[in-house]
């Protein structure tokens, strides 16, 4: 069952990793301008999680409908608020950068996850992990040196730089959120079941959505949605279709993340995301006709090199751990003879 959950949640994570950014960018390039609305949509699809949660309840038949207790609820709420802030930073970057650019910058979240996993859950650093961090950092620097080379038409250099910094900050913050989630799983005194994990994610998404809703109210986003829909380049109906699919895609992403962390680790979830960022980049070049300059090619190679280095190091560590766990072969005891 656990292997099935890993596969299913990995598929959901892959779909969300590529689909979420592409649909969000579709909103912006066709006339959408509401950053708080976009960040709100990243977690607003959390009621969708009630479906797998209901299936889990029916399958396991718990005594209580909701098993999450107050300490775990509060921890989940705090991480949810951090997630809401991360959603806003990410939306700021997506609004200003091409998908093929911010996807490469976002790959640096693997390095941040490795650092925070070491500090919070004592995941050991290896030479391969350090090499990966260096390569991902250099890749981001290469893109920074080419700042403005792929700047969207009509956007100032200042706005482009702000987008670059926002995506980098979002990658760093999410690199903290993933190990925090794993730490909560390890420290909870409750029996950790998949149903409980989904309850935790439900609380996190609710508070992230609440955080972004407050931002929308302050920024008057709710009042202008109708007008923005009427002015949308693809038409009013497709405007709402884009919003709905954005919420669905991001919920696939979050549901996949919490499932992979529960069944494996925060680092594996970060690896899957990093692995599919090049896929997102290629799809953006094909679908949105984005430019692919030499600097992006160099950054892509460095990102892939960093990913392979990190993944190879993890495989070697796992083999070493498995070898150490193997019991030594014991000689059979002699059978005493009857006298």
């Amino acid at each position: 069952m656990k292997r099935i959950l890993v596969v299913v949640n990995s598929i959901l994570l892959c779909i969300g990793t590529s689909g979420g950014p592409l649909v969000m960018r579709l909103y912006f390039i066709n006339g959408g301008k509401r950053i708080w609305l976009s960040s709100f949509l990243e977690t607003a699809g959390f009621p969708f999680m009630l479906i797998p949660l209901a299936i889990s309840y029916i399958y396991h038949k718990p005594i209580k409908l909701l098993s999450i207790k107050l300490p775990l609820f509060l921890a989940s709420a705090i991480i949810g608020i951090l997630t809401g802030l991360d959603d806003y930073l990410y939306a700021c970057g997506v609004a200003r950068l091409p998908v093929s650019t911010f996807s490469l910058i976002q790959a640096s979240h693997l390095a941040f996850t490795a650092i925070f996993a070491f500090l919070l859950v004592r995941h050991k650093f290896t030479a391969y992990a350090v090499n990966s961090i260096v390569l991902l950092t250099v890749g981001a620097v290469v893109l920074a040196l080419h700042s403005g080379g792929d700047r969207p038409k009509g956007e100032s250099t200042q706005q482009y730089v702000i987008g670059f910094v926002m995506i980098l900050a979002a990658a760093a913050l999410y690199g903290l959120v993933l190990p925090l989630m794993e730490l909560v799983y390890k420290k909870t005194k409750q029996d950790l079941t998949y149903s409980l994990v989904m309850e935790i994610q439900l609380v996190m998404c609710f508070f992230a959505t609440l955080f972004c809703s407050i931002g929308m109210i302050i920024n008057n986003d709710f009042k202008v949605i109708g007008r923005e829909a009427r002015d949308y380049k693809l038409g009013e109906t497709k405007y709402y279709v884009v919003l709905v699919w954005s919420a669905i895609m991001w919920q696939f992403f979050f549901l996949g993340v919490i499932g992979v962390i529960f069944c494996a680790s925060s680092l594996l979830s970060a690896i899957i995301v990093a692995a599919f960022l090049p896929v997102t980049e290629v799809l953006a070049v094909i679908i949105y006709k984005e430019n692919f300059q030499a600097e992006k090619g160099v950054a892509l190679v460095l990102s892939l090199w960093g990913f392979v280095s990190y993944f190879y190091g993890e495989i070697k560590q796992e083999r070493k751990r498995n070898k150490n766990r193997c019991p030594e072969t014991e000689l059979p005891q002699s059978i005493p003879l009857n006298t």
Side-chain angles (χ1 to χ4, degrees):
M1 176 59 72
K2 199 168 187 178
R3 289 180 179 178
I4 293 173
L5 286 175
V6 169
V7 172
V8 171
N9 284 286
S10 295
I11 292 172
L12 290 175
L13 181 55
C14 293
I15 294 171
T17 297
S18 294
L22 289 171
V23 178
M24 181 182 283
R25 185 59 183 168
L26 181 65
Y27 164 78
F28 284 114
I29 63 178
N30 287 286
K33 298 178 181 178
R34 317 311 295 186
I35 292 175
W36 276 112
L37 171 60
S38 295
S39 58
F40 168 85
L41 291 171
E42 290 184 57
T43 51
F46 71 88
F48 174 78
M49 201 172 295
L50 293 173
I51 298 173
L53 192 58
I55 295 172
S56 180
Y57 282 148
I58 294 169
Y59 181 77
H60 294 289
K61 296 180 180 179
I63 298 174
K64 293 182 178 180
L65 187 60
L66 293 176
S67 57
I68 189 169
K69 294 181 180 179
L70 184 60
L72 191 54
F73 178 88
L74 294 175
S76 303
I78 292 170
I79 296 177
I81 293 171
L82 290 175
T83 301
L85 175 59
D86 183 75
D87 291 344
Y88 176 75
L89 294 172
Y90 186 80
C92 283
V94 175
R96 295 171 172 85
L97 301 177
V99 178
S100 54
T101 299
F102 72 68
S103 294
L104 288 171
I105 302 170
Q106 191 187 0
S108 63
H109 92 284
L110 178 59
F112 291 114
T113 302
I115 293 170
F116 287 119
F118 170 76
L119 295 174
L120 297 176
V121 293
R122 301 303 178 191
H123 190 281
K124 292 182 180 179
F125 263 126
T126 65
Y128 297 99
V130 173
N131 182 54
S132 174
I133 292 170
V134 171
L135 290 170
L136 290 168
T137 303
V138 172
V141 170
V142 169
L143 288 176
L145 292 175
H146 187 61
S147 175
D150 62 344
R151 189 171 65 246
K153 187 177 180 180
E155 185 178 281
S156 66
T157 302
Q158 181 183 7
Q159 289 296 311
Y160 184 91
V161 172
I162 289 173
F164 189 97
V165 173
M166 288 295 188
I167 285 291
L168 197 59
L173 183 54
Y174 203 66
L176 170 63
V177 167
L178 291 180
L180 271 179
M181 291 170 64
E182 187 175 356
L183 182 64
V184 168
Y185 292 170
K186 288 185 175 182
K187 294 296 183 181
T188 181
K189 295 180 181 179
Q190 295 185 237
D191 293 331
L192 199 63
T193 63
Y194 192 60
S195 298
L196 180 58
V197 168
M198 284 191 286
E199 289 180 20
I200 293 170
Q201 184 64 20
L202 199 64
V203 173
M204 288 171 52
C205 286
F206 172 79
F207 277 93
T209 305
L210 181 62
F211 177 87
C212 295
S213 297
I214 294 171
M216 287 183 68
I217 293 170
I218 295 173
N219 202 45
N220 293 321
D221 280 11
F222 286 109
K223 295 181 179 179
V224 300
I225 288 177
R227 185 176 72 239
E228 188 174 69
R230 290 190 294 272
D231 297 336
Y232 197 60
K233 292 179 182 178
L234 298 180
E236 186 173 356
T237 301
K238 289 185 179 180
Y239 173 85
Y240 292 109
V241 171
V242 168
L243 297 190
V244 170
W245 272 105
S246 182
I248 292 173
M249 285 295 178
W250 283 117
Q251 205 51 226
F252 281 174
F253 173 83
F254 282 108
L255 189 58
V257 164
I258 60 116
V260 172
I261 293 176
F262 169 70
C263 298
S265 68
S266 58
L267 283 171
L268 179 59
S269 67
I271 288 170
I272 292 173
V273 172
F276 261 75
L277 288 176
V279 176
T280 308
E281 180 184 8
V282 172
L283 288 174
V285 172
I286 295 172
I287 297 171
Y288 298 141
K289 310 299 181 184
E290 294 182 358
N291 295 326
F292 191 82
Q293 299 95 339
E295 290 82 359
K296 285 186 182 180
V298 172
L300 177 59
V301 170
L302 291 173
S303 296
L304 291 173
W305 185 6
F307 164 72
V308 171
S309 174
Y310 187 86
F311 194 62
Y312 179 72
E314 287 298 302
I315 291 174
K316 289 195 67 174
Q317 284 292 104
E318 185 61 28
R319 286 179 178 174
K320 186 177 180 181
R321 285 192 291 267
N322 291 336
K323 186 177 180 181
N324 291 335
R325 282 198 294 264
C326 290
E328 294 182 1
T329 304
E330 298 180 357
L331 293 175
Q333 294 181 352
S334 59
I335 303 174
L337 296 175
N338 292 327
T339 56

